[in-house]
Amino acid sequence: MKPKLLEIKGLKTYFQTEEGVVPAVDGVDIVVYEGETVGIVGESGCGKSVTSLTTMRLTPGKVVAGSISFQERDLLALSDEEMRKVRGNEMAMIFQEPMTSLNPVFTIGQQIGEAIEIHMQYSKQQARARAIDMLKLVGIPRAEQIVDEYPHQLSGGMRQRVMIAMAMSCNPKLLIADEPTTALDVTIQAQILDLMRELKEKHNTAIMMITHDLGVVAEMCDRVIVMYAGKVVEEADVVTLFTNPKHPYTQGLMKSIPRLNGTDERLYSIKGSVPIPGTLRKGCTFAPRCEYATDICRQEIPELNEIEDNHSCRCWLYEAKGEQA
Ligand SMILES: Nc1ncnc2c1ncn2[C@@H]1O[C@H](COP(=O)(O)OP(=O)(O)OP(=O)(O)O)[C@@H](O)[C@H]1O
Ligand SMILES: [Mg+2]
């Protein structure tokens, strides 16, 4: 077994709002091993971004329980200064909202260059040259000019690519990519995914890939974690998850993938919608939308159990491995 790089245990991140407490992340366990790509999937609002932002210690929410260990260091116990060193150096993130992470008053070159200078101990000149190389690598035309421009001078897709260049420029051990290619056209998307694969192969970078796109998951990921309403509901290697999904929610997600076989079957969608966090009091959070739900599902929250080797599921339909009759 490869060494553990990141281990999130029992994580709860809550928001205090005028309507009350929002348990956006509600007891999440995630392990990422060195050099592997882990997909995190689930409908909008299920807590994917809050989980990743909490890992980077960048969420405005409050961590009310749990631990995050990265390279055997407890991230939640680091000082802000120590955390800044981890961020962008050993751990980098591509954000879902690119504008929030680029500073409008600095040029592209200054922003990429600064990270490179600090983390790789390059001179200003070397850092600038590497910044230009990185911009070219992510498919930015006129890199020599763009390096001296400001974020607002670029289109959304370009900014996204700048952010990707920035995140990858220091060869992090862990790259957290939150919908990295959703805003980009397919050609650029393929290019960026290739680049991530290269990073993984060359530098043994682990990637936490958050995406709505199950095609990207199938193509990129070794393992997949399915989240629903702030909790992990299923986890398996990518082939198992696609061929033998167990949780009714995962089965629904799989059925909603468009097929290319030309059938005119209407695209399946899971009935109902993700509950607003904090509005569910009892039982499995998926029960109100689940066609298999029984009384126990409406009363008690199931545990995330390993139901077969390396395959875990949080559902009353299955018993933990070893407990089967
Ligand atoms: N700053 C905040 N204040 C209050 N609630 C928040 C805040 N940020 C996120 N939430 C809530 O936390 C829950 C999880 O949000 P999150 O952004 O993690 O979802 P997501 O899975 O990333 O969704 P998407 O696929 O749309 O990006 C949502 O109900 C959201 O409304
Ligand atoms: Mg998100």
Side-chain angles (χ1 to χ4, degrees), residues 5 28 44 48 61 69 94 99 107 121 123-124 160 173 199 202 212-213 215 236 268 275 313 318 322:
L5 181 64
V28 160
S44 194
K48 305 181 298 293
S69 153
I94 300 169
M99 223 20 205
T107 65
Q121 276 125 34
S123 71
K124 267 208 158 40
Q160 184 73 354
K173 293 292 272 177
L199 188 74
K202 261 200 202 145
H212 280 101
D213 189 336
Y268 176 86
C313 183
Y318 308 98

Side-chain angles (χ1 to χ4, degrees), residues 16-296:
Q16 193 70 53
T17 68
E18 278 169 18
E19 285 81 43
V21 176
V22 175
V25 172
D26 203 16
V28 160
D29 299 289
I30 292 175
V31 175
V32 180
Y33 295 95
E34 278 180 16
E36 73 166 347
T37 301
V38 178
I40 300 191
V41 300
E43 281 164 296
S44 194
C46 67
K48 305 181 298 293
S49 292
V50 175
T51 301
S52 52
L53 289 169
T54 307
T55 306
M56 294 286 284
R57 278 205 12 209
L58 292 173
T59 175
K62 190 168 188 294
V63 177
V64 298
S67 62
I68 303 174
S69 153
F70 178 68
Q71 295 184 310
E72 295 176 359
R73 293 167 86 189
D74 176 2
L75 291 191
L76 297 177
L78 296 186
S79 69
D80 290 349
E81 182 55 38
E82 288 169 321
M83 191 61 211
R84 254 196 301 277
K85 284 189 194 140
V86 172
R87 234 185 270 133
N89 188 7
E90 294 148 76
M91 189 195 267
M93 180 159 173
I94 300 169
F95 297 86
Q96 196 168 4
E97 316 285 343
M99 223 20 205
T100 53
S101 63
L102 292 175
N103 192 325
V105 303
F106 293 107
T107 65
I108 302 304
Q110 284 167 332
Q111 302 193 46
I112 305 181
E114 191 190 22
I116 298 171
E117 270 172 59
I118 295 175
H119 298 296
M120 301 183 83
Q121 276 125 34
Y122 276 19
S123 71
K124 267 208 158 40
Q125 228 167 11
Q126 287 171 314
R128 185 187 156 87
R130 180 158 167 90
I132 293 172
D133 284 346
M134 288 307 297
L135 291 175
K136 286 182 181 160
L137 267 178
V138 293
I140 289 191
R142 301 187 299 114
E144 286 87 356
Q145 281 110 52
I146 298 274
V147 76
D148 295 319
E149 291 182 5
Y150 291 87
H152 70 89
Q153 292 174 276
L154 306 181
S155 70
M158 287 290 200
R159 278 186 221 131
Q160 184 73 354
R161 280 185 264 170
V162 166
M163 207 172 49
I164 293 167
M166 213 152 94
M168 305 207 332
S169 61
C170 301
N171 304 329
K173 293 292 272 177
L174 175 68
L175 178 68
I176 301 179
D178 193 352
E179 301 284 358
T181 56
T182 310
L184 305 175
D185 70 55
V186 282
T187 333
I188 303 297
Q189 174 168 341
Q191 223 170 312
I192 300 287
L193 294 179
D194 280 344
L195 205 62
M196 286 189 181
R197 241 183 251 122
E198 209 180 294
L199 188 74
K200 174 177 161 168
E201 272 154 31
K202 261 200 202 145
H203 303 284
N204 198 33
T205 306
I207 302 173
M208 196 156 126
M209 176 74 98
I210 299 171
T211 178
H212 280 101
D213 189 336
L214 291 168
V216 170
V217 171
E219 202 184 317
M220 297 287 293
C221 298
D222 304 306
R223 216 149 45 80
V224 191
I225 288 171
V226 182
M227 283 186 70
Y228 186 75
K231 288 187 165 64
V232 174
V233 296
E234 187 159 4
E235 178 183 340
D237 69 84
V238 68
V239 174
T240 304
L241 198 94
F242 277 84
T243 56
N244 189 20
K246 292 293 192 189
H247 198 287
Y249 178 62
T250 315
Q251 292 172 352
L253 283 183
M254 292 300 159
K255 273 203 270 179
S256 53
I257 306 175
R259 306 262 170 244
L260 292 172
N261 58 9
T263 53
D264 54 2
E265 230 177 287
R266 292 238 353 243
L267 199 57
Y268 176 86
S269 71
I270 307 169
K271 277 196 219 82
S273 51
V274 180
I276 297 163
T279 57
L280 266 174
R281 304 265 172 262
K282 264 195 335 197
C284 169
T285 45
F286 189 60
R289 300 172 73 187
C290 181
E291 54 183 305
Y292 307 103
T294 59
D295 283 345
I296 186 154

Side-chain angles (χ1 to χ4, degrees), residues 298-310:
R298 286 180 276 268
Q299 295 300 323
E300 282 179 54
I301 300 175
E303 300 270 319
L304 183 66
N305 285 322
E306 190 169 35
I307 54 170
E308 49 189 37
D309 287 344
N310 304 314

